[in-house]
Amino acid sequence: MRTGLFGLLIFFALISTSCQERLESPEESSIGSAAEDDCGFVQNSYGARVSWKNKIPVSVQVDPLMNDEFFNAATRAADRWNSLAGKKLIVLERLPPTDVVSPSQDLTTGLYWRTDWAAEKSNQQAVTTLFYRGNSINEADVKVNAKDFLFYSKDPNSNQEVHMESLLVHEFGHLLGLKHSTVWPTVMWSTLASNTVRDVISEKDLKSLKCEY
Ligand SMILES: [Zn+2]
């Protein structure tokens, strides 16, 4: 039986340093897949862009631990991508308060509010993990580091808080398959400073998006 090409990609949003890590399982050489321009997207080992293909909109189950204020910020972040694309790419579904969720490879795409976080990774604001096979994403998990960071949506209470909508516009870009960009301005720039709003998706981001959606 063909095992196919499985991939796992993890993006970290950090305070101050560039961050991207890619882990892929061994590949099968018989899979034919033409190399493509990256166009801002993650590529598999054959150089093909990785995205959700025709499996849109992506349904994202939202952790009930995320409060109303931040759920609304997440909704606005998703809507920024949707309105730019002119179609629904990301749909958020808030889970009932009684649900207890945790991220794992379970074919459920989720947005998780995590109050546990590895001490050695305490500089990560959030992490998005992509699970893909060949050039097609099957699952994405977005985890927000609520252990080490404070967040805001309108007015910060201190100068050490992360703007939630800006953070999630970036993470949802990863969820769609986009990688970090080294060209400014773009919401896929790898770092987001505290008390900084960066939630307007740029022409460059849109040009990338249109390569796959
Ligand atoms: Zn990132």
Side-chain angles (χ1 to χ4, degrees):
M1 186 182 141
R2 266 163 71 122
T3 53
L5 169 62
F6 292 90
L8 170 67
L9 193 74
I10 304 174
F11 292 104
F12 306 147
L14 293 174
I15 311 170
S16 60
T17 56
S18 176
C19 50
Q20 186 173 351
E21 184 174 301
R22 182 177 185 139
L23 303 170
E24 259 189 55
S25 59
E27 307 143 20
E28 187 181 79
S29 60
S30 63
I31 291 183
S33 182
E36 301 168 306
D37 287 340
D38 71 73
C39 211
F41 277 81
V42 169
Q43 290 168 294
N44 67 18
S45 297
Y46 296 94
R49 290 190 295 268
V50 171
S51 75
W52 291 86
K53 308 304 176 193
N54 61 351
K55 294 174 288 182
I56 56 169
V58 181
S59 178
V60 181
Q61 311 234 309
V62 180
D63 192 333
L65 291 178
M66 182 166 257
N67 68 21
D68 288 347
E69 177 187 357
F70 296 144
F71 175 76
N72 291 336
T75 301
R76 291 194 298 274
D79 284 345
R80 284 181 182 273
W81 287 109
N82 294 341
S83 61
L84 201 74
K87 56 186 156 187
K88 287 259 184 210
L89 297 177
I90 300 168
V91 176
L92 303 185
E93 288 179 38
R94 198 174 197 188
L95 294 170
T98 49
D99 277 22
V100 177
V101 294
S102 65
S104 64
Q105 189 171 3
D106 54 4
L107 289 177
T108 297
T109 288
L111 170 60
Y112 301 91
W113 181 262
R114 303 301 297 176
T115 53
D116 61 324
W117 207 272
E120 68 274 16
K121 296 176 180 173
S122 63
N123 60 346
Q124 295 174 353
Q125 297 161 329
V127 173
T128 295
T129 307
L130 292 183
F131 301 94
Y132 59 92
R133 176 182 178 139
N135 62 358
S136 182
I137 300 170
N138 297 317
E139 177 185 342
D141 292 326
V142 179
K143 290 178 275 185
V144 173
N145 181 357
K147 180 186 177 194
D148 300 299
F149 290 92
L150 294 171
F151 302 92
Y152 73 102
S153 64
K154 288 192 173 61
D155 299 306
N157 292 308
S158 75
N159 60 5
Q160 294 293 323
E161 299 186 5
V162 177
H163 187 243
M164 182 61 80
E165 189 171 344
S166 299
L167 178 67
L168 292 180
V169 164
H170 176 93
E171 298 305 323
F172 289 163
H174 283 320
L175 179 148
L176 291 170
L178 293 172
K179 60 183 181 179
H180 287 147
S181 174
T182 55
V183 179
W184 186 262
T186 164
V187 296
M188 297 316 295
W189 190 258
S190 63
T191 60
L192 175 65
S194 296
N195 297 62
T196 301
V197 175
R198 185 203 53 196
D199 54 13
V200 177
I201 300 171
S202 73
E203 281 295 319
K204 182 187 181 298
D205 297 308
L206 174 60
K207 197 174 167 203
S208 291
L209 193 71
K210 289 291 182 186
C211 294
E212 286 293 306
Y213 299 105

